[in-house]
Amino acid sequence: MAGRQRGPVPVLEKQSRNLTQEVLDKLDTKEPLQTAEDFPDVSQQEIKAALDRLGSRSMVKYETKETEQVLLTEESEAIVQDGSHEFKVWEAAKQQGGIPVKGLKIEGRPDAWVKAGQGTAIRNKWIKKDGEKFVAVPDSVEDTVQEELKGIQETKSISDAKRLVDLKKRKLVTVGKVLAYSVTKGPSYAKEIPVEVTDLTADMLADGSWKEANFKPYNFNALGAQQNAGALHPLMKVRAEFRNIFFNQGFVEMPTGHFVDSGFWNFDALFVPQQHPARDMQDTFFISDPPKADRPRPDPDTEKQMDAMEAGSRKLFATDDKKETKPRNYEEYWDNIKKVHQEGAFGSIGYRYPWSEDETLRLVLRTHTTAVSTWVLHRLAEDPRPARYFSIDRVFRNETVDATHLAEFHQIEGVIADFGLTLGGLMKFLEDFFSKMGIENLRFKPAYNPYTEPSMEIFGYHVGLGKWVEIGNSGMFRPEMLEPMGLPKNMRVYGFGLSLERPTMIKYGVSNIRDLLGHKVDLNFIESNAAVRLDKN
Amino acid sequence: MPTISVDKAALFKALEKEYTTEEFDELCFEFGIELDEDTSQSTKPEDKAQPPQLKIEIPANRYDMLCFEGIALNLRVFLEKQELPKWTLTPPKSGELETLTIKEETTKIRPLCSGVILRNIKFTQERYDSFISLQDKLHQNLARQRTLVSIGTHDLDTIKGPFTYEALPPEEIEFIPLNQTQKMNGKQLMEFYEKDKHLGRYLHIIRDSPVYPVIYDSNRTILSLPPIINGDHSKITLNTKNVLIEITALDKTKVEIVNHMLVAMFGGYAESIEPINIISPHNNESREAPDLSPREMQAEVDYLNQVTGLNLSTTGISKLLTRMGHTVAPAKADSKLLDVSVPISRADVLHQADIMEDLAIAYGFNKLPRFYPNKTAAVAAPLPINKLGDIVRFEAATAGWSEVMPLILCSHEENFEWLNRKDPGGLAVKLANPKTIEYQIVRTSLLPGLLKTINSNRHHAVPIKVFEVSDVAFIDHAQERKSRNERHFAAAIMGKTSGFEQVHGLLDRVMLMLRSVFITREDGLKKESLEGYWIEEVDDPTFLAGHAAAIKLKVADKTHVIGVFGILHPSVLHKFELQYPVSTLEINLEVFL
């Protein structure tokens, strides 16, 4: 947009020469007017600007004529001035009574020209060799080349096409395109530019002067006025699109309002063993203050939020049968988790290592929002029923920061719980989910994730990159995670996730994550980023 | 995930097929490993200097694919070129097993030990390199940098059993470490390797212990000082025939997994795999090691079929699972069950869910029927605080402010000192192990992020008007997780003049949109039933004196101080390196829920 002008057409400036007025004057006596003839000494740009000013007011009409002109080069201009090279050589030989065979110098002519002129003079028999010198042969010569070029200079053309080619080859002339204009009167032609008003005003409406007013034309090639607009952050715009996709599919948003979580919810309850590399100091931010979490226990505030959000679904799917709910038992959950890690339980041999209570009560910055999904699924065990949950919120990894990694990013997570779900059903669901952002044709790769089995990496074909790219992770939560909560064995739970940043970066060609999230993001990028429509472009 | 580099030609020979890079990539994709790079396509000089390598990423729980042998074997089984071998133990002809006695003192430092003997092994340079490299990979991954498990390998013909595993004061342990010429004791050894790039990082595991673990033969020759280094005396070479492997550990399960992996990967190069008699009465760990019998478990036919969405017969299931290394037969007692023998190499199989996944992989993930049952509907709902936050975001943007998203982690200085605020202690969540000082605490205010954003955008024309709606966190001992988030709204304006009335106006606008009316302080204090907000001059060192106001909100007869706005104190501007005046506003949105 740089360089383009905003606002109405430029005001007519007072110039030393009022070309617009001259055009109007000339048109009064001559129509059509030919700029090439009538204003030969005015540059094309200047005459065009004047005609546009008049044209935009419908005072003139003009047609553009493109003509070819034969123009002289520096060399041929010199020839027109003083004579051809061969003439100059002859002249020197005559005046000096002979010239050296080699190394003749003529002022104002480069040696190459002189040398060429000497050759032509010999061929023309204007000079001849006499001992160590060239001497002039005739007393006078006719310089036809100079005459010809003079003619070209005046007419800017050559009638003989063959001759033109010859002269062009000798770099004595060039052919240039020249724009000229044929101008006629327009419907609003007048001998003077009438007084113009720039804009419609309230006063003009009041006194009726708008009827006679002569409005200055608007420059439709310029941008409009700068809007002092606010803007939403591009990532938040993409987030809004994903939220809509989830809402359209009946997902309830999960309460992710705590960055700090315990090892229990973030790892152990997800069947991530205490020696798993993800629990390394290299990968997870541990908290030094406050020192330690409590054991899992009821959380009435968050409970209330969930109840409020699920009231709609409870009302809609209510039946007359009294459903029995099984209140959560946090002690039992704790013991189950300990057992499934330490000795094995629920059909699993477990990891068989001494499970440490201190390790599970360590506080961490959540490494994934799956910690919250775990809490929500444990809540679901009170009344196991089909349910869908999602969240989009910040997670933390103790990463070394580079172009694709930050210590913080946003995780998009979806969870679907139902009885008798199949692996193919998850693929089908994800096909539909990703088609809403224009990604068709998904492929799934077996992968490892401690809390899902099977685990599948989701690959989508990226047309721009011309290859399959990993676009997310998915799987079915492990029985070792679900059954300790008290969920029935035939209830299966899909989990899938992706980062908010990665699809945004791919979609909008951002190569450095720091250009998207964090304080280094360019405000101009935020302010000019287009609205996000994942289904379009 | 570990990446394993294997010789391309050797692997394709083992797989009996010359794959194109694309074909091999496809095979990896289906099996669940990842071809990272084929160096025959590389232009780097170091890649061109050696025969083409395939760099393959292995899932973190597949310890049986951390070397060439494992990758070749598993892929051959998957491609039905062979069945997984059944590893068995062969006692020596004499019938007398080698013994290793574990002394009780080892409980003070590293209590467990296991081992195995590979008889008449045939090493080539490639096999030898792979053997060393596998130990290294196991040390890095499963053994968590040797802390949990460490491996020592010895030329059995240079030493003489019975062996003892002891724990002694470092000064009493004296030997020539691997590839050294000088004898040194435990203490000297710590100093010697202090600066060693490779071994230096393991020293901490035992350095400060009064006793170090050590393994002796019957002549008191030192085999190794686990988990640091072996002795030079018993080192293995290309010509070694009989290999003694000793594995010391803290973790009972992992010590046997490591034993199994070494046997499964390299037992095939040996004439026989010979057990060792471990004598460890004090902790009931006396046994013959290793136990190579497959683990017997059961899987439900219905479960396997239901989750995969297939309808396979037991024969069909059995055939597919063979390709993943399992031996499957219908259970005698119950036709709905399968008996599955899980080989020693598959330590990752914990539950029938893992068998089900193997079945899905063998069948082909991408061939499974994709079908979503149309039986449940659901009702969507947004989280109330997110809905409220979005309302404020839209109103702020509509009012002409631009949304920014700085990071949530920040330095202690930015959050406190730079804003002329004192850390009262017990307020901000502090990180124990940040990599940089940029991430020391979880912010308690949105202001540092806004000011840093303005600082990075000094090229932008003024006024700069930015806002953020996001969470801060506070320590809260009443919570299970000892902390809570709070949703804040904050805005900042930088321009040639202070912009004080701008942030004030934004506050009024947002309050209007949240149906909160402006009332005077007097009215608010006087009339109990009156709800609304007012502002009061406040003395706050973040702001220029006389130019800061506390925002008070009265709802349901309760008055809350929800935030503050004002002109930033020039000393704050100086800290954040801002050259124009800035006014800010920050309020807590939770009260509007």
Side-chain angles (χ1 to χ4, degrees):
Chain A
M1 255 166 275
R4 285 180 72 183
Q5 174 185 28
R6 282 178 192 279
V9 288
V11 179
L12 296 176
E13 277 169 44
K14 283 261 180 275
Q15 291 162 322
S16 51
R17 179 175 177 185
N18 191 343
L19 201 54
T20 5
Q21 191 54 51
E22 282 182 40
V23 170
L24 293 176
D25 290 346
K26 192 83 192 170
L27 261 182
D28 194 35
T29 56
K30 183 187 177 195
E31 194 184 7
L33 170 165
Q34 302 296 345
T35 58
E37 293 166 21
D38 299 313
F39 297 95
D41 50 347
V42 178
S43 76
Q44 182 262 333
Q45 286 91 341
E46 269 180 278
I47 196 79
K48 171 86 164 40
L51 292 177
D52 281 343
R53 263 174 244 140
L54 294 169
S56 66
R57 292 165 174 83
S58 304
M59 295 179 74
V60 303
K61 287 193 284 194
Y62 66 84
E63 279 170 24
T64 305
K65 287 185 175 171
E66 194 182 279
T67 52
E68 282 193 346
Q69 285 188 344
V70 181
L71 301 169
L72 297 191
T73 63
E74 192 192 346
E75 185 176 355
S76 48
E77 270 171 2
I79 294 172
V80 170
Q81 192 91 37
D82 288 339
S84 65
H85 309 322
E86 49 272 31
F87 175 80
K88 296 296 282 184
V89 170
W90 170 81
E91 190 184 49
K94 190 183 165 201
Q95 283 172 359
Q96 296 164 23
I99 48 173
V101 174
K102 271 185 182 168
L104 173 67
K105 299 272 176 208
I106 296 173
E107 203 195 319
R109 304 263 160 139
D111 290 348
W113 296 2
V114 175
K115 214 176 150 196
Q118 197 166 317
T120 314
I122 292 169
R123 247 180 286 129
N124 289 356
K125 300 204 166 74
W126 290 358
I127 56 173
K128 69 171 187 192
K129 208 166 179 195
D130 180 18
E132 295 299 300
K133 284 181 183 173
F134 281 119
V135 292
V137 179
D139 270 350
S140 67
V141 295
E142 194 186 337
D143 194 351
T144 49
V145 175
Q146 186 192 32
E147 288 308 314
E148 184 185 21
L149 290 174
K150 267 186 183 163
I152 293 169
Q153 191 182 38
E154 275 159 27
T155 60
K156 297 195 165 117
S157 65
I158 307 176
S159 48
D160 184 349
K162 242 175 110 182
R163 185 71 189 137
L164 174 64
V165 174
D166 192 34
L167 288 174
K168 265 169 81 178
K169 207 185 269 169
R170 284 173 62 186
K171 299 204 169 121
L172 289 177
V173 300
T174 57
V175 176
K177 284 191 175 140
V178 172
L179 296 177
Y181 305 94
S182 170
V183 189
T184 54
K185 288 176 182 170
S188 309
Y189 174 80
K191 282 181 77 175
E192 273 179 13
I193 294 184
V195 179
E196 291 177 331
V197 293
T198 39
D199 210 347
L200 181 62
T201 64
D203 287 345
M204 292 163 73
L205 289 178
D207 64 16
S209 63
W210 64 270
K211 285 177 216 156
E212 279 78 39
N214 178 32
F215 287 102
K216 186 175 166 189
Y218 191 77
N219 179 0
F220 290 100
N221 293 321
L223 290 174
Q226 181 84 267
Q227 302 295 298
N228 289 320
L232 296 174
H233 194 283
L235 265 180
M236 294 298 270
K237 295 194 279 192
V238 176
R239 167 183 169 272
E241 282 285 278
F242 275 106
R243 272 163 62 88
N244 277 337
I245 295 174
F246 279 115
F247 287 141
N248 290 341
Q249 301 270 19
F251 282 75
V252 171
E253 197 166 25
M254 289 187 270
T256 46
H258 52 266
F259 296 142
V260 178
D261 220 322
S262 61
F264 182 85
W265 291 110
N266 196 75
F267 294 122
D268 293 289
L270 282 116
F271 201 50
V272 179
Q274 294 185 335
Q275 305 82 8
H276 193 276
R279 299 176 80 152
D280 250 341
M281 301 292 266
Q282 298 306 310
D283 292 278
T284 300
F285 283 115
F286 290 92
I287 305 294
S288 59
D289 184 24
K292 181 175 160 187
D294 288 345
R295 281 187 177 211
R297 58 180 164 83
D299 177 356
D301 291 341
T302 317
E303 210 69 49
K304 223 162 68 192
Q305 289 179 31
M306 288 297 297
D307 286 346
M309 281 189 287
E310 293 196 320
S313 120
R314 289 197 178 272
K315 223 157 121 186
L316 182 65
F317 300 125
T319 59
D320 289 339
D321 342 326
K322 274 267 173 254
K323 232 179 155 184
E324 259 189 58
T325 60
K326 191 180 66 181
R328 267 162 288 171
N329 183 335
Y330 287 88
E331 265 319 294
E332 193 181 314
Y333 186 30
W334 171 273
D335 292 341
N336 284 345
I337 292 297
K338 178 174 181 175
K339 202 165 167 200
V340 80
H341 279 251
Q342 193 164 286
E343 294 135 47
F346 308 102
S348 172
I349 58 168
Y351 294 117
R352 295 151 287 148
Y353 69 94
W355 188 73
S356 151
E357 176 167 335
D358 283 343
E359 188 63 38
T360 201
L361 293 181
R362 279 178 90 176
L363 287 167
V364 300
L365 283 182
R366 65 170 177 228
T367 60
H368 49 193
T369 48
T370 318
V372 180
S373 306
T374 311
W375 185 89
V376 170
L377 287 169
H378 181 231
R379 181 175 172 278
L380 187 70
E382 269 194 1
D383 174 16
R385 61 193 186 280
R388 296 177 178 192
Y389 301 106
F390 85 97
S391 63
I392 305 175
D393 209 344
R394 203 85 60 116
V395 296
F396 305 84
R397 305 273 168 93
N398 199 1
E399 304 254 22
T400 304
V401 173
D402 63 24
T404 51
H405 296 89
L406 272 182
E408 306 176 19
F409 62 94
H410 292 81
Q411 183 184 345
I412 303 171
E413 163 131 326
V415 167
I416 299 175
D418 209 335
F419 298 96
L421 292 175
T422 68
L423 195 54
L426 173 56
M427 297 180 186
K428 186 79 182 173
F429 179 86
L430 292 170
E431 273 182 8
D432 180 55
F433 184 85
F434 282 99
S435 75
K436 295 192 167 67
M437 55 197 101
I439 302 172
E440 309 280 351
N441 293 330
L442 298 188
R443 284 173 81 208
F444 296 89
K445 177 174 165 286
Y448 167 63
N449 187 340
Y451 47 89
T452 51
E453 189 81 9
S455 308
M456 309 190 293
E457 281 170 6
I458 311 163
F459 282 74
Y461 192 77
H462 189 279
V463 182
L465 300 175
K467 61 174 186 182
W468 292 90
V469 291
E470 194 195 328
I471 50 176
N473 268 294
S474 63
M476 295 173 82
F477 287 122
R478 288 192 73 100
E480 290 97 327
M481 171 180 163
L482 301 178
E483 291 185 43
M485 296 172 173
L487 284 167
K489 206 179 141 207
N490 63 342
M491 168 154 262
R492 304 207 182 104
V493 184
Y494 296 151
F496 58 95
L498 58 154
S499 80
L500 179 62
E501 284 77 6
R502 191 168 154 75
T504 310
M505 286 169 77
I506 294 176
K507 202 103 195 171
Y508 300 102
V510 178
S511 57
N512 189 333
I513 189 168
R514 285 167 288 193
D515 293 337
L516 196 60
L517 180 66
H519 61 269
K520 292 192 177 129
V521 177
D522 188 352
L523 270 177
N524 293 318
F525 168 70
I526 296 175
E527 287 163 352
S528 59
N529 188 278
V532 173
R533 302 158 81 193
L534 288 182
D535 52 334
K536 299 262 175 195
N537 53 61
Chain B
M1 282 201 292
T3 301
I4 311 296
S5 205
V6 296
D7 186 89
K8 184 176 170 177
L11 185 67
F12 288 176
K13 193 176 165 215
L15 300 181
E16 300 168 33
K17 183 175 168 182
E18 271 307 311
Y19 288 87
T20 64
T21 304
E22 290 70 31
E23 283 169 344
F24 187 69
D25 185 48
E26 187 65 28
L27 174 67
C28 289
F29 192 98
E30 288 300 315
F31 189 69
I33 55 181
E34 195 166 321
L35 177 62
D36 234 19
E37 198 190 342
D38 176 348
T39 64
S40 67
Q41 296 175 333
S42 166
T43 52
K44 287 186 209 148
E46 65 267 30
D47 288 330
K48 287 182 152 175
Q50 60 169 347
Q53 303 284 307
L54 298 172
K55 295 187 179 167
I56 304 174
E57 255 189 50
I58 304 296
N61 64 342
R62 288 303 295 266
Y63 313 119
D64 59 329
M65 296 187 78
L66 293 177
C67 60
F68 171 85
E69 287 73 13
I71 292 171
L73 178 63
N74 279 294
L75 287 178
R76 278 180 58 85
V77 172
F78 183 64
L79 295 167
E80 298 175 281
K81 300 282 180 204
Q82 73 168 91
E83 286 194 9
L84 201 71
K86 307 238 181 304
W87 294 279
T88 51
L89 293 168
T90 315
K93 285 187 192 101
S94 65
E96 284 284 303
L97 295 188
E98 289 286 359
T99 64
L100 185 140
T101 305
I102 302 179
K103 297 279 175 70
E104 191 167 356
E105 296 80 56
T106 56
T107 52
K108 291 181 194 152
I109 175 74
R110 203 170 175 85
L112 302 167
C113 189
S114 182
V116 66
I117 293 166
L118 301 178
R119 286 279 175 198
N120 285 320
I121 194 161
K122 286 177 200 73
F123 277 128
T124 61
Q125 189 65 49
E126 291 76 26
R127 292 172 182 185
Y128 181 86
D129 292 346
S130 180
F131 189 51
I132 302 296
S133 153
L134 172 64
Q135 293 173 48
D136 193 45
K137 295 281 185 219
L138 288 169
H139 280 152
Q140 299 317 314
N141 295 286
L142 180 67
R144 300 267 291 184
Q145 314 291 339
R146 302 194 186 181
T147 53
L148 299 177
V149 185
S150 60
I151 307 159
T153 55
H154 310 277
D155 186 336
L156 184 58
D157 299 325
T158 65
I159 43 182
K160 194 176 174 326
F163 304 96
T164 53
Y165 175 37
E166 308 178 17
L168 295 171
E171 293 81 2
E172 292 175 27
I173 303 168
E174 207 177 41
F175 70 113
I176 303 173
L178 186 64
N179 299 332
Q180 297 301 326
T181 48
Q182 293 294 315
K183 219 175 206 192
M184 49 186 98
N185 71 29
K187 224 174 150 186
Q188 293 163 331
L189 185 137
M190 287 292 154
E191 283 159 23
F192 183 79
Y193 286 112
E194 182 76 62
K195 299 232 162 62
D196 188 284
K197 242 165 90 187
H198 177 57
L199 293 177
R201 59 197 158 129
Y202 305 121
L203 301 181
H204 73 96
I205 305 173
I206 57 167
R207 183 167 36 207
D208 298 330
S209 163
V211 289
Y212 287 3
V214 58
I215 298 177
Y216 288 100
D217 79 348
S218 58
N219 298 323
R220 299 302 283 170
T221 305
I222 290 183
L223 274 63
S224 69
L225 183 82
I228 312 298
I229 194 155
N230 294 341
D232 194 60
H233 179 87
S234 58
K235 72 175 168 205
I236 60 164
T237 66
L238 278 180
N239 301 320
T240 298
K241 291 245 166 335
N242 300 303
V243 178
L244 169 71
I245 301 174
E246 42 83 6
I247 308 157
T248 58
L250 298 179
D251 184 302
K252 252 195 245 189
T253 310
K254 291 189 179 69
V255 75
E256 289 310 323
I257 293 177
V258 168
N259 203 339
H260 286 161
M261 292 309 149
L262 292 169
V263 166
M265 298 299 109
F266 288 89
Y269 295 144
E271 215 169 78
S272 63
I273 303 160
E274 186 179 306
I276 293 177
N277 193 15
I278 307 280
I279 302 167
S280 185
H282 59 277
N283 56 0
N284 286 322
E285 286 295 321
S286 296
R287 67 200 188 279
E288 269 182 28
D291 176 1
L292 299 187
S293 51
R295 195 162 54 76
E296 303 300 334
M297 64 179 287
Q298 290 194 316
E300 297 154 296
V301 177
D302 285 352
Y303 170 79
L304 300 181
N305 271 327
Q306 267 175 24
V307 183
T308 52
L310 298 172
N311 189 16
L312 298 170
S313 65
T314 49
T315 335
I317 292 173
S318 163
K319 204 161 168 261
L320 287 170
L321 285 175
T322 307
R323 294 178 56 198
M324 304 305 286
H326 305 293
T327 310
V328 182
K332 287 190 186 80
D334 187 344
S335 64
K336 287 184 172 166
L337 291 178
L338 296 172
D339 286 331
V340 183
S341 298
V342 181
I344 55 163
S345 57
R346 292 298 307 278
D348 58 301
V349 174
L350 306 175
H351 189 276
Q352 66 168 345
D354 300 290
I355 302 292
M356 177 267 289
E357 184 185 60
D358 277 353
L359 178 69
I361 292 172
Y363 188 87
F365 269 19
N366 293 297
K367 290 184 199 136
L368 291 174
R370 292 186 190 182
F371 165 73
Y372 197 82
N374 179 20
K375 58 176 185 180
T376 54
V379 180
L383 192 68
I385 189 72
N386 285 352
K387 190 172 171 183
L388 174 69
D390 283 349
I391 289 169
V392 175
R393 290 176 50 239
F394 291 134
E395 294 305 339
T398 316
W401 299 66
S402 293
E403 183 174 35
V404 297
M405 285 182 97
L407 301 180
I408 282 159
L409 303 178
C410 65
S411 77
H412 187 277
E413 272 189 335
E414 290 160 359
N415 195 72
F416 292 108
E417 289 87 338
W418 288 14
L419 292 173
N420 293 334
R421 288 176 182 171
K422 277 209 177 67
D423 179 359
L427 181 76
V429 173
K430 295 190 170 67
L431 306 190
N433 57 331
K435 286 201 174 99
T436 73
I437 58 153
E438 278 180 277
Y439 310 132
Q440 291 175 317
I441 60 165
V442 181
R443 63 185 181 188
T444 60
S445 162
L446 299 183
L447 295 187
L450 290 182
L451 298 180
K452 285 197 287 181
T453 306
I454 294 178
N455 173 291
S456 324
N457 278 281
R458 285 178 299 184
H459 59 277
H460 189 281
V462 289
I464 293 178
K465 293 160 80 182
V466 292
F467 77 93
E468 184 187 11
V469 175
S470 183
D471 283 0
V472 300
F474 299 107
I475 292 178
D476 181 351
H477 289 286
Q479 305 286 327
E480 177 192 324
R481 297 162 181 93
K482 303 296 162 197
S483 128
R484 75 188 148 79
N485 281 19
E486 197 172 272
R487 185 68 48 96
H488 280 200
F489 164 55
I493 177 169
M494 179 170 92
K496 290 191 174 139
T497 55
S498 78
F500 188 49
E501 69 286 4
Q502 289 292 324
V503 289
H504 188 179
L506 179 63
L507 171 73
D508 292 338
R509 174 72 194 163
V510 168
M511 286 300 185
L512 182 66
M513 292 300 104
L514 292 174
R515 294 176 171 277
S516 185
V517 293
F518 181 76
I519 54 180
T520 63
R521 175 171 179 263
E522 289 68 31
D523 285 347
L525 294 178
K526 219 162 31 202
K527 293 183 204 154
E528 280 189 0
S529 58
L530 197 63
E531 296 204 334
Y533 75 100
W534 72 90
I535 58 174
E536 254 175 49
E537 188 183 328
V538 70
D539 189 19
D540 184 329
T542 305
F543 302 99
L544 193 63
H547 291 85
I551 305 153
K552 302 210 165 177
L553 178 77
K554 210 166 91 178
V555 214
D557 293 347
K558 265 176 91 178
T559 303
H560 309 263
V561 182
I562 60 165
V564 59
F565 71 93
I567 303 176
L568 285 185
H569 195 278
S571 61
V572 175
L573 299 179
H574 179 73
K575 292 290 188 200
F576 286 94
E577 294 175 25
L578 302 173
Q579 66 281 53
Y580 291 109
V582 175
S583 289
T584 65
L585 157 73
E586 179 164 20
I587 60 172
N588 171 9
L589 291 178
E590 306 269 342
V591 285
F592 294 97
L593 267 180

